[in-house]
Amino acid sequence: MTYTAVLAVLLVGAVLYFISRSRKSKPSGPKAGPASNVISMDKHRKAKHSSADQLCSSCKKKNGKLIFYAQDNGTVVGLCKDCQSKAKKRDMLPL
């Protein structure tokens, strides 16, 4: 009877050991499911961001490449080449 009790304890211990080992081998990390706020950086890097998609902060037109300036209050504005003279008049610093 003592042999069966020892054997049962060893069997339960072995089962618990293998269960804990299998849980450790599973990858534990954020799941990128539909309800998750995690964004895959691979998709973000591969996405083509064209500067033509950005609007000028002054005239609100899609004029291609923007030049970014710092305003006096610390905010950043992106201006097209047509609005560049406004930045020079206000002594804005280019970034």
Side-chain angles (χ1 to χ4, degrees):
M1 184 157 188
T2 59
Y3 290 117
T4 57
V6 170
L7 184 60
V9 169
L10 287 176
L11 183 62
V12 169
V15 168
L16 291 176
Y17 173 76
F18 285 115
I19 289 174
S20 67
R21 293 281 293 178
S22 67
R23 286 186 182 170
K24 288 181 183 177
S25 65
K26 291 181 183 176
S28 62
K31 296 176 183 169
S36 176
N37 290 335
V38 178
I39 299 171
S40 172
M41 289 304 292
D42 293 333
K43 290 180 184 177
H44 181 70
R45 286 185 193 112
K46 290 179 183 177
K48 292 186 178 181
H49 295 292
S50 176
S51 62
D53 293 343
Q54 294 179 334
L55 297 174
C56 174
S57 296
S58 179
C59 65
K60 306 294 183 199
K61 293 180 184 176
K62 293 182 182 179
N63 290 332
K65 190 172 183 180
L66 299 179
I67 302 166
F68 293 94
Y69 292 93
Q71 290 184 340
D72 295 333
N73 60 0
T75 59
V76 176
V77 292
L79 300 176
C80 62
K81 292 194 178 196
D82 298 334
C83 299
Q84 200 172 16
S85 60
K86 293 179 184 178
K88 289 184 181 179
K89 286 179 186 176
R90 293 184 56 198
D91 291 329
M92 294 174 139
L93 298 173
L95 300 177

